[in-house]
Amino acid sequence: MKDILILTGGQEEHHYVARALRDVLEEEAGTDVRVEVREVGQGGVEGWLGWITEKMVKGGMKGEKMRKWIQRAGGGHEGRPGWAQLRRFVALTLEEVRPEVVVFFHPALGLALEERVQGRVEAGFQRVGVVLEAEDLPGWDAVTADLLWVADEGSAEELREKNTKTRDVVAGGWPVRIGFDPGEKDKAKTGGVIQKRILYLINSRRRKAQRTLEKILAIEGVEVTAVVGREEGLKRDLQKRFSEVRERLEIHGWVKNLAGMIRGHDLVVTKPGTISVREVLATGRPVVLVEGGKGADRRKGMCRLVTRIGCGALGDSPGEIASRIEDAMEGGGVGLREWNRRARKEALRSIGATERLASRILQMAKSANHVERVPELRLLSRGNAGRKGLLMVDLHAHTIFSDGRLTVSELVDFYGRRGFDALAVTDHLVDHRRLLGRLANMTGLVLTSEDLPDYFRVLQEERNRAWTKYRMILFPGLEFNHDGLTAKGSAHLLGVDLVEPIDPSLSLKEICHKIRGQGGLTIAAHPHHMSSAWGKDTLYLWERQDEFRPLIDAWEIGNRDDLFNPVGLKKLPFIAGSDFHKPKHLTSWKTLLWCEKDPDAIKECVRKNKDVSITLYRDHRFGGEVDERDEKKGYSREIAKLNQ
Ligand code: ZN
Ligand code: ZN
């Protein structure tokens, strides 16, 4: 069984295309393939994607600049950390679906997928980007994919030139599904006055709809069909209001064969989103699009498309809409014929595009050789309860809940398979009132108060799994980031083995008391000058050692590759941790404890700080550079040996 995942969101249009593509894939593939469509809609992410699109188009955001901007400033839409949620959504969806191929329609999704590939955490999947907003191809030049699908050769050439990361750029037409022939000729009635048939798909408020109809009907030589959908009340009102022009106005409720109806008209007036604009264009009919109103920003892409192709016009007010139609009908309908010609040309290009795209995707899915998940390992159990042993622990690690790459369960598997005895997940929690200075660099990749219940629930579930599957103790924790404008005003404090959230806006001393009140450990993270390039110094606690010494159970003497020898010189209680964010951080300082394998014993051992030592951990099998894919192969080999 192969899985194809279609990620949609950010534009109304994406949903239409996603559904059409799913239908074709399912028809063609039969039962060997499962197709999942997931909408990136939760937590305001969809709105954020729309906003990103706008910014990209307006600001001409491109390439690396765009990538940085999305990943940094992209967190700032209405205070919603959009990028943080998007990457988490993508990670969790991939973990759940485990697809062979992922199809996406937005460059920001491409960036989120790329991060997953770089993290090398999933069994390999292939990426297919379908470019639906053609104008300037904003953002797509920074996206890496195995295949990028664009409508026309012009766009393809442009993209091949700008995007050197993607080998395969295909001009395959618009993946829109149509069941009829767009080549059919314009059936204008000849005679003294040309009669043009206009189809008005109503999705506006009552008054606007009525005004629009009045204005259109005032144009000489037009007949109008109005479709109100399921709004029976509106249908009755309009019938009453326009009873004296009944011979020029037909009013319909819900229409089953909308495509057929579109084809029977010369022009469609609609708001993007009422029906897919692409679907209208695929019939070869021109459109006048109603701009403005609710959600206008998200629909701008479709409006741009119509202007670019030149197969119609845009209008906001009823008067504007009518005058666009009037202009097109001038001189015997010259303008309308030109719109029609262009719409038909565009439509011809899209015939069979969905089928072509689907067959490429199926090919990719079928040729993907399924990477077996690492077989379950029963590890040598060390330090049984009631008996002391040497335990390898890591009390500082991050997940996708903040700026880490792995999901919590990936992290548990990652450490569990290597035989670690205890691991603390300590995602960043920030007091938003202190959102100052360099915190802006954190790109909003921090836990928010809304995330906390979810975070603690997931950790509880994984705590059980980590124990049953690996005999590894998982401590729920938090890293409290109190960042100021200066190094001396900044502190990162770890709370390890927490039962419930703690308000990050409390003072550090209060937080220490709360952590201890829950039976947790207080640990000063990277408390001295750091030599690593990414981290800024956090010296607040160090500067106030005398005050904090009684409140802190241990000070990090090692953090990732860094050693803080003043911690040793001052004879402070110490531990060392990875500050794990991605697989390669496994190669780093770790703590060894001589105690029983039991949460309380471990904590007590750290507090007493007698049987504690540190070690610079190297993953002996792979010489330090950890590559999950190699790792999987490596493990399979190892298991094979064990089984012999
Ligand atoms: Zn930190
Ligand atoms: Zn950290």
Side-chain angles (χ1 to χ4, degrees):
M1 173 67 79
K2 306 281 184 176
D3 289 280
I4 296 168
L5 172 65
I6 305 177
L7 292 173
T8 146
Q11 295 265 343
E12 206 107 34
E13 203 71 12
H14 298 178
H15 302 317
Y16 291 110
V17 176
R19 286 194 285 268
L21 187 58
R22 180 196 53 202
D23 292 348
V24 177
L25 281 167
E26 280 175 348
E27 275 165 33
E28 314 244 314
T31 52
D32 320 339
V33 169
R34 205 163 29 203
V35 188
E36 279 278 328
V37 178
R38 292 291 172 94
E39 293 186 12
V40 186
Q42 322 123 300
V45 179
E46 173 138 74
W48 176 78
L49 280 176
W51 177 76
I52 287 275
T53 314
E54 272 305 290
K55 292 270 175 187
M56 287 189 305
V57 174
K58 272 197 208 136
M61 281 294 175
K62 280 169 205 145
E64 283 310 304
K65 200 170 135 205
M66 184 210 66
R67 171 198 301 277
K68 286 206 183 99
W69 178 80
I70 284 190
Q71 292 173 349
R72 185 171 302 166
H77 175 53
E78 291 165 4
R80 306 282 326 179
W83 171 246
Q85 290 182 336
L86 181 71
R87 63 195 283 283
R88 200 182 303 167
F89 168 84
V90 168
L92 293 173
T93 309
L94 287 171
E95 187 179 83
E96 190 192 330
V97 180
R98 300 258 158 213
E100 268 76 22
V101 181
V102 182
V103 185
F104 60 100
F105 307 103
H106 196 286
L109 272 161
L111 297 184
L113 288 166
E114 190 177 337
E115 195 190 89
R116 305 309 298 162
V117 173
Q118 284 168 351
R120 307 215 172 212
V121 281
E122 278 85 24
F125 58 87
Q126 303 213 59
R127 288 164 284 168
V128 178
V130 181
V131 184
L132 294 179
E133 283 82 31
E135 170 130 329
D136 296 335
L137 305 162
W140 287 98
D141 46 349
V143 172
T144 319
D146 299 287
L147 170 66
L148 283 178
W149 186 274
V150 295
D152 53 283
E153 195 46 53
S155 303
E157 253 165 53
E158 197 182 327
L159 202 53
R160 278 184 205 116
E161 203 173 291
K162 286 182 184 163
N163 185 334
T164 49
K165 296 174 180 172
T166 300
R167 278 160 299 149
D168 217 353
V169 180
V170 172
W174 283 89
V176 107
R177 237 193 153 186
I178 32 168
F180 35 83
D181 169 26
E184 195 178 319
K185 285 278 176 284
D186 191 4
K187 285 184 295 193
K189 291 177 195 163
T190 43
V193 188
I194 49 154
Q195 280 294 329
K196 289 292 174 190
R197 304 197 66 208
I198 294 174
L199 179 64
Y200 179 27
L201 304 175
I202 299 179
N203 184 13
S204 299
R205 271 180 315 198
R206 194 160 294 227
R207 274 187 57 88
K208 193 171 179 184
Q210 197 172 312
R211 293 276 301 141
T212 308
L213 271 177
E214 280 167 15
K215 293 278 183 187
I216 297 177
L217 284 165
I219 303 169
E220 207 190 324
V222 300
E223 286 169 13
V224 179
T225 308
V227 177
V228 298
R230 302 208 189 272
E231 302 231 21
E232 282 301 318
L234 177 60
K235 184 178 168 186
R236 273 194 305 276
D237 285 0
L238 292 178
Q239 270 164 345
K240 222 160 94 193
R241 165 69 186 76
F242 294 101
S243 58
E244 73 285 11
V245 283
R246 216 173 292 158
E247 69 289 350
R248 289 178 57 217
L249 175 66
E250 259 176 58
I251 302 171
H252 293 263
W254 183 254
V255 175
K256 256 191 172 168
N257 179 12
L258 197 54
M261 187 170 248
I262 292 172
R263 207 160 52 122
H265 288 76
D266 301 297
L267 177 68
V268 180
V269 177
T270 187
K271 202 182 202 173
T274 311
I275 177 178
S276 157
V277 172
R278 271 286 157 198
E279 274 167 323
V280 177
L281 294 183
T283 65
R285 291 293 175 268
V287 277
V288 171
L289 286 184
V290 183
E291 292 179 294
K294 224 174 126 220
D297 278 359
R298 252 184 300 142
R299 299 192 310 258
K300 275 195 181 142
M302 283 301 109
C303 292
R304 276 197 308 274
L305 176 72
V306 167
T307 334
R308 186 177 60 85
I309 298 171
C311 59
L314 313 175
D316 191 0
S317 64
E320 241 175 71
I321 294 162
S323 75
R324 298 285 169 275
I325 300 172
E326 229 174 340
D327 291 349
M329 299 219 1
E330 234 170 57
V334 191
L336 191 59
R337 270 200 299 279
E338 182 56 20
W339 284 353
N340 215 319
R341 193 181 65 77
R342 294 188 188 193
R344 229 176 12 237
K345 199 172 145 208
E346 185 69 17
L348 285 169
R349 192 161 40 201
S350 293
I351 295 178
T354 309
E355 286 75 7
R356 287 194 294 274
L357 175 58
S359 86
R360 272 303 289 269
I361 293 169
L362 283 176
Q363 244 172 42
M364 288 166 95
K366 284 180 178 156
S367 65
N369 39 9
H370 198 72
V371 181
E372 281 303 315
R373 300 236 62 205
V374 182
E376 198 168 314
L377 254 186
R378 279 285 161 205
L379 287 151
L380 36 149
S381 65
R382 287 190 299 242
N384 286 321
R387 219 176 57 212
K388 285 190 178 182
L390 190 61
L391 308 186
M392 172 91 77
V393 308
D394 193 350
L395 300 181
H396 191 166
H398 298 277
T399 72
I400 198 88
F401 271 105
S402 65
D403 56 347
R405 285 276 169 85
L406 308 197
T407 63
V408 177
S409 60
E410 283 167 345
L411 189 74
V412 164
D413 289 334
F414 195 77
Y415 275 79
R417 285 184 187 126
R418 288 175 170 80
F420 275 75
D421 299 287
L423 165 70
V425 173
T426 54
D427 274 313
H428 299 282
L429 181 62
V430 172
D431 172 11
H432 280 280
R433 273 167 288 177
R434 293 175 59 107
L435 268 172
L436 276 174
R438 63 175 167 283
L439 199 69
N441 294 334
M442 287 218 55
T443 70
L445 297 182
V446 292
L447 281 167
T448 64
S449 51
E450 296 141 57
D451 299 328
L452 284 171
D454 221 19
Y455 177 69
F456 276 86
R457 183 186 52 76
V458 170
L459 285 174
Q460 195 48 54
E461 287 166 13
E462 287 296 322
R463 182 177 197 150
N464 295 334
R465 194 176 69 90
W467 183 253
T468 30
K469 190 165 181 184
Y470 302 110
R471 286 288 175 262
M472 178 174 78
I473 293 164
L474 181 70
F475 290 118
L478 287 167
E479 178 168 4
F480 295 89
N481 291 34
H482 271 221
D483 287 298
L485 289 167
T486 62
K488 288 184 180 177
S490 304
H492 287 190
L493 174 73
L494 304 178
V496 167
D497 202 20
L498 299 179
V499 185
E500 56 183 22
I502 293 168
D503 180 358
S505 67
L506 295 172
S507 74
L508 284 166
K509 282 184 187 165
E510 288 170 307
I511 292 174
C512 286
H513 287 302
K514 294 267 181 192
I515 294 170
R516 285 183 165 179
Q518 296 187 22
L521 290 175
T522 51
I523 297 167
H526 39 81
H528 208 261
H529 291 289
M530 284 188 277
S531 45
S532 73
W534 66 274
K536 297 273 172 57
D537 288 348
T538 43
L539 303 176
Y540 182 90
L541 296 169
W542 187 258
E543 294 285 316
R544 285 165 188 73
Q545 258 171 73
D546 294 339
E547 270 172 66
F548 277 94
R549 198 187 274 249
L551 296 172
I552 303 273
D553 294 314
W555 303 65
E556 276 186 347
I557 196 168
N559 177 287
R560 185 112 25 103
D561 302 313
D562 228 332
L563 273 183
F564 308 110
N565 58 335
V567 172
L569 294 170
K570 292 267 182 177
K571 308 244 177 331
L572 291 166
F574 66 89
I575 62 147
S578 305
D579 208 342
F580 183 97
H581 284 75
K582 46 186 158 185
K584 70 174 188 186
H585 294 163
L586 186 68
T587 297
S588 57
W589 289 99
K590 302 283 187 291
T591 305
L592 293 168
L593 303 174
W594 177 259
C595 65
E596 290 149 23
K597 189 144 133 183
D598 165 83
D600 289 327
I602 288 173
K603 287 187 287 181
E604 201 43 36
C605 186
V606 172
R607 285 187 200 112
K608 283 204 179 121
N609 222 255
K610 277 176 74 184
D611 295 318
V612 178
S613 57
I614 60 169
T615 179
L616 185 52
Y617 181 90
R618 292 282 182 256
D619 200 305
H620 60 277
R621 277 185 303 268
F622 313 109
E625 263 307 300
V626 180
D627 179 320
E628 266 283 306
R629 288 182 194 168
D630 297 347
E631 189 230 337
K632 283 174 181 167
K633 280 183 234 141
Y635 255 113
S636 312
R637 256 182 266 129
E638 204 160 281
I639 302 273
K641 251 187 276 165
L642 285 173
N643 287 340
Q644 271 164 11

